[in-house]
Amino acid sequence: MKTIVIGGVAGGASTAARLRRMDEKAEIIILERGPYISFANCGLPYFIGEVISERDKLLVVTPEMLREMMNIDSRVLNEVIAIDRKKKSVTVRNLETGETYEETYDKLVLSPGAGPIVPPLPGVDLPGVFTLRNLPDMDKIKAFVDEKKPARAVVVGGGFIGLEIAENLVDRGVEVTLIEMLDQVMAPIDYEMAALVHQHLTFKRIRLALGDGLKSIGTGKAGWMEVELSSGRKVDTELVILSIGVRPENKLAKDAGLELGIRGTVVTNEHMQTSDPDIYAVGDVAQVTSRLTDTATALALAGPASREGRVAADHMAGNKKAKFPGVIGTSVVKVFDLTVASVGMNAKALQQAEIPFQNVIIHASNHAGYYPGASPMAFKLL
């Protein structure tokens, strides 16, 4: 059996590694358009903040390691530009030489991930404006901070990446303004819990502009930029990080006629098969099921991507009972001195699903008070 995996990182690399364990004879090829097969994307902001000092620690595996350890042919800077389902082949462009070639498959796995959303607003293409998705993005931001030593930065988006970037820029001595269109940071948690995070961010001298959006970015004086918000407020800055959210990289699937679902993700069944049984989709590009509501959802996190990859590999290798049970949405993020964690549905999601609920908030210690080192914890149970 010959399997081609499009894209590496969590989903693609996990699929390939598991498939090799299940089938010693399988021919496995990973085609990755970027320069790295697998890297720790959760660690990117911390390299910019110099919490992680060794860049190589972010590289999970290299093509050489995969070849030596697992006999997997992984090709970086090789972008799949088309899928031909009838011929069961993919067209690949080698980004170094510019030449294109075809590669046939028995099974195909889509793991292209999701790309950062860049709104079509004036100034988003200015030289001091960045998004953070991969190692080259990280290198550009780190080089900018190292060389320009910006005094001020604007971070647009109060999700995981936005908060982590804000914290790491503050650690580098940058004054940060965080803009978030919602009235709170961290959408997975409820407002009263997020309020504790707002308080902590303000204590750490981050300027919060909540319930406000980005309108435009213009050039200001002496190489600075002027960020205008929806409310009309203006902020002077030398650096802008857009972390507004991600959009599944679904172009290949769409062009190949595969069924698309919620928020543009590729529809999959419990075995991670798409509407074409010989093509699987895993990771940020795949539609999955919520275990709590039994409805379609999308979850762009590395943990589920790895599990989905293993299920897809098991199913391809002949284990027809291999099923992905769905997601419950577990997340943990460090915000300066706080750890913010959530699992399951928040109040807003429960109301939308018309599920009756009761809730309680308690303030307790994270372990027995008589044992030294206990720290306070705010806990909300729905």
Side-chain angles (χ1 to χ4, degrees):
M1 184 174 77
K2 179 179 177 182
T3 301
I4 290 178
V5 180
I6 301 174
V9 199
S14 296
T15 308
R18 176 70 175 177
L19 191 55
R20 172 56 72 228
R21 290 189 198 104
M22 301 300 289
D23 185 348
E24 284 182 17
K25 295 189 178 73
E27 185 183 349
I28 306 166
I29 302 170
I30 303 178
L31 299 168
E32 166 58 55
R33 71 176 176 197
Y36 304 98
I37 279 293
S38 198
F39 55 89
N41 40 11
C42 301
L44 304 182
Y46 299 97
F47 181 73
I48 294 164
E50 298 186 332
V51 177
I52 295 169
S53 53
E54 290 174 57
R55 188 178 179 280
D56 285 356
K57 288 232 165 111
L58 296 171
L59 296 173
V60 181
V61 286
T62 61
E64 294 72 34
M65 285 159 70
L66 281 176
R67 188 179 287 283
E68 283 167 30
M69 285 162 37
M70 295 189 148
N71 188 24
I72 291 170
D73 177 3
S74 48
R75 306 172 195 172
V76 293
L77 299 170
N78 277 254
E79 181 179 16
V80 176
I81 51 175
I83 300 166
D84 188 326
R85 286 164 56 193
K86 282 200 182 91
K87 283 165 69 181
K88 289 183 85 167
S89 71
V90 294
T91 307
V92 191
R93 182 186 290 128
N94 182 321
L95 299 178
E96 283 177 297
T97 64
E99 62 185 308
T100 58
Y101 62 94
E102 276 199 9
E103 200 74 64
T104 58
Y105 65 84
D106 295 310
K107 302 286 180 190
L108 181 67
V109 182
L110 299 176
S111 176
I117 293 170
V118 178
L121 296 172
V124 289
D125 51 357
L126 286 171
V129 181
F130 300 92
T131 56
L132 180 61
R133 184 198 182 205
N134 51 31
L135 285 165
D137 292 346
M138 175 193 79
D139 292 336
K140 282 180 203 157
I141 298 170
K142 174 93 163 50
F144 187 93
V145 176
D146 291 350
E147 288 160 28
K148 299 270 196 303
K149 299 193 168 44
R152 285 186 177 182
V154 167
V155 175
V156 186
F160 302 119
I161 302 287
L163 290 176
E164 288 170 353
I165 274 282
E167 176 182 341
N168 281 284
L169 288 173
V170 168
D171 286 349
R172 294 291 305 272
V174 185
E175 198 179 291
V176 175
T177 300
L178 183 81
I179 301 167
E180 170 55 59
M181 206 181 268
L182 298 175
D183 61 355
Q184 66 167 84
V185 299
M186 285 209 63
I189 64 175
D190 286 327
Y191 183 85
E192 59 266 48
M193 302 304 276
L196 302 170
V197 182
H198 300 160
Q199 199 180 353
H200 191 61
L201 291 169
T202 308
F203 173 70
K204 292 293 181 179
R205 298 210 164 93
I206 285 182
R207 295 164 67 196
L208 291 176
L210 301 173
D212 211 340
L214 176 67
K215 189 178 177 185
S216 67
I217 305 166
T219 47
K221 294 170 192 160
W224 281 58
M225 291 174 284
E226 187 180 69
V227 174
E228 188 179 351
L229 310 187
S230 308
S231 61
R233 286 192 285 179
K234 289 179 179 173
V235 186
D236 289 328
T237 184
E238 292 175 274
L239 168 66
V240 177
I241 309 278
L242 301 175
S243 56
I244 296 166
V246 293
R247 189 177 281 134
E249 298 266 3
N250 62 11
K251 189 180 181 312
L252 280 173
K254 199 175 178 179
D255 292 350
L258 297 176
E259 189 187 340
L260 299 182
I262 194 164
R263 294 200 283 281
T265 50
V266 180
V267 173
T268 60
N269 64 12
E270 57 198 353
H271 310 299
M272 304 315 298
Q273 286 168 301
T274 65
S275 50
D276 180 329
D278 290 324
I279 302 178
Y280 295 72
V282 299
D284 298 358
V285 81
Q287 175 178 295
V288 288
T289 304
S290 160
R291 285 166 73 171
L292 304 168
T293 58
D294 207 25
T295 54
T297 187
L299 190 65
L301 291 173
S306 294
R307 299 231 304 279
E308 291 157 27
R310 293 199 287 274
V311 167
D314 284 1
H315 193 258
M316 278 184 275
N319 177 5
K320 298 304 174 205
K321 287 182 182 166
K323 288 176 185 177
F324 182 68
V327 295
I328 50 177
T330 310
S331 61
V332 185
V333 65
K334 172 186 176 291
V335 184
F336 291 99
D337 310 330
L338 295 180
T339 302
V340 186
S342 70
V343 61
M345 298 164 77
N346 60 18
K348 207 180 282 177
L350 287 166
Q351 282 156 2
Q352 278 172 348
E354 296 181 354
I355 296 171
F357 68 96
Q358 290 183 310
N359 68 87
V360 62
I361 295 177
I362 60 164
H363 296 271
S365 296
N366 71 329
H367 60 236
Y370 55 77
Y371 189 83
S375 54
M377 179 171 72
F379 183 87
K380 179 173 185 179
L381 178 69
L382 297 116

